[in-house]
Amino acid sequence: MIHKIGVLTSGGDAPGMNCAIRAVVRAGLRYGLEVYGVVNGYKGLVEGQIIKMDRSSVSDIVNRGGTILQTARLREFKDESVRQIAVNNLKKLGIEALVVIGGDGSYMGAKKLTEMGINCVGLPGTIDNDIASTDYTIGFDTCQNTIVECVDKIRDTTESHQRCAIIEVMGNHCGDLALFTGLAEGAEMIITPDHPIPEEDIIAQLKKLHDADKKRAVVIISEKIYQDIHAFAAKIQEETGFETKAEVLGRIQRGGSPSAFDRVLAARMGAYAVDCLLDGKGGICIGMVNNKIVAYDIYEALQLPRDKHASMLRLIDILNA
Ligand code: F6P
């Protein structure tokens, strides 16, 4: 039987992380555990930034974006000697198990800590939706709604000026944010790592639209495909005659109050993570598959092929082209 657990957030923040923290803290307290918050992710774990949490520590945070525990990325956590410092800090306080809320990079740290004697459970907290062991990550839904809100506004001015808008969205190396928001917007073109389009074809298609007197065009493109999206927009303008503006949405996509979907997802996953720790499980990550909350071994989860949403990719050609 465990008595003390910790919770941390790691990697890029995501709306809904606070709801997950709240669920872990409230469920832990409900089962009679002492619950500690680690400030600043693995970095804070190594530096010993650990605070005791009570019910009021997580009051009024369900609607807040970001993470009250703050977050960081710590490459050095790959080194066993660095992780040993973290383990020692946990042991000093008698913390026996940990919930790690973050992306797949954070999962590996959680698995390694488990192998060093601290049972860890990972929760998928990232806007990118790039974790194969869950249908949705915490933060993805809010982020796609934020993007849609922004693109709706860009559409207005794009139409008024009869321009082409090239809108770059986040996702790291995963195209889900571009695909889902591109379909939601009926974008003229959607370009993602799973749906790449050669540069000459993009230009040819936009020229065709412009020549056919199309009044405006919206192109949604995943980040990390073009190094300089502004230079690409200038090239499109030069070669098609379509006045083209690039918009990089940037970190506005990561902030904001979490959607109802993300709040509920985070609550379900956070409470389940505590159940797993109470059952003595570790080295696992939580997902939602077909609306059921499930757990996978972290190594297995990281090997799973990601769903590339073939049926949705097909819709691009049917509905948007
Ligand atoms: O992983 C989340 C994410 O927002 C990615 O979509 C993006 O590539 C990255 O983080 C940006 O991170 P940072 O804010 O640290 O530059």
Side-chain angles (χ1 to χ4, degrees), residues 135 261 265 268 288-293:
D135 291 345
F261 180 89
L265 183 66
R268 293 174 72 189
M288 186 184 72
V289 178
N290 296 331
N291 204 25
K292 297 257 176 320
I293 303 299

Side-chain angles (χ1 to χ4, degrees), residues 5-9 17 20-22 24-25 35-39 41 45 49-51 53 58 69 90 95 97-101 123:
I5 63 168
V7 56
L8 63 80
T9 48
M17 278 185 162
I21 295 168
R22 176 181 179 274
V24 171
V25 172
V35 186
Y36 290 80
V38 181
V39 179
L45 196 54
Q49 298 179 51
I50 304 174
I51 50 174
M53 301 189 83
V58 291
L69 288 176
L90 289 167
I95 299 171
L98 198 61
V99 177
V100 172
I101 308 165
L123 293 193

Side-chain angles (χ1 to χ4, degrees), residues 42-292:
Y42 289 133
K43 186 166 180 286
L45 196 54
V46 172
E47 291 169 359
Q49 298 179 51
I50 304 174
I51 50 174
K52 195 161 177 204
M53 301 189 83
D54 56 24
R55 276 184 74 84
S56 66
S57 327
V58 291
S59 292
D60 286 329
I61 65 167
V62 276
N63 57 334
R64 279 169 61 185
T67 158
I68 58 161
L69 288 176
Q70 298 177 304
T71 186
R73 292 189 173 94
L74 182 69
R75 283 185 186 286
E76 294 78 8
F77 207 67
K78 287 195 176 115
D79 300 345
E80 191 172 345
S81 57
V82 175
R83 288 199 304 277
Q84 192 58 55
I85 302 171
V87 170
N88 295 345
N89 285 338
L90 289 167
K91 287 201 167 148
K92 250 186 264 168
L93 290 169
I95 299 171
E96 300 136 304
L98 198 61
V99 177
V100 172
I101 308 165
D104 50 3
S106 316
Y107 278 12
M108 197 42 103
K111 187 70 186 179
K112 296 279 181 198
L113 280 182
T114 302
E115 288 165 1
M116 292 170 79
I118 305 288
N119 268 351
C120 291
V121 174
L123 293 193
T126 166
I127 59 166
D128 297 335
N129 210 37
D130 58 350
I131 299 183
S133 51
T134 186
D135 291 345
Y136 295 106
T137 56
I138 298 166
F140 174 73
D141 182 64
T142 307
C143 182
Q144 61 166 337
N145 284 306
T146 302
I147 294 172
V148 163
E149 200 183 319
C150 292
V151 176
D152 281 351
K153 292 189 164 79
I154 294 169
R155 287 173 81 104
D156 290 347
T157 172
T158 300
E159 183 143 6
S160 305
H161 289 263
Q162 296 146 61
R163 287 174 175 161
C164 168
I166 308 285
I167 303 165
E168 186 183 279
V169 300
M170 279 187 169
N172 201 6
H173 296 287
C174 174
D176 285 12
L177 282 171
L179 174 63
F180 281 60
T181 59
L183 286 175
E185 284 290 339
E188 272 66 31
M189 300 188 85
I190 301 173
I191 304 149
T192 80
D194 298 324
H195 189 259
I197 304 180
E199 185 169 313
E200 57 275 20
D201 293 0
I202 300 173
I203 291 172
Q205 174 68 7
L206 290 172
K207 184 162 175 26
K208 201 168 115 192
L209 292 176
H210 187 56
D211 291 350
D213 213 20
K214 179 92 179 161
K215 292 285 178 270
R216 59 115 192 92
V218 168
V219 177
I220 308 241
I221 183 163
S222 297
E223 65 174 349
K224 300 186 182 179
I225 291 183
Y226 281 90
Q227 233 179 4
D228 185 347
I229 200 77
H230 296 281
F232 183 46
K235 187 172 179 188
I236 292 171
Q237 179 164 314
E238 196 183 300
E239 295 191 18
T240 65
F242 216 153
E243 190 182 2
T244 302
K245 302 284 179 192
E247 315 290 348
V248 178
L249 293 190
R251 284 166 193 76
I252 199 166
Q253 296 165 93
R254 273 214 316 241
S257 183
S259 65
F261 180 89
D262 277 331
R263 296 181 197 196
V264 175
L265 183 66
R268 293 174 72 189
M269 287 182 166
Y272 192 70
V274 175
D275 285 343
C276 291
L277 291 178
L278 285 168
D279 284 348
K281 293 180 187 151
I284 57 172
C285 54
I286 308 301
M288 186 184 72
V289 178
N290 296 331
N291 204 25
K292 297 257 176 320

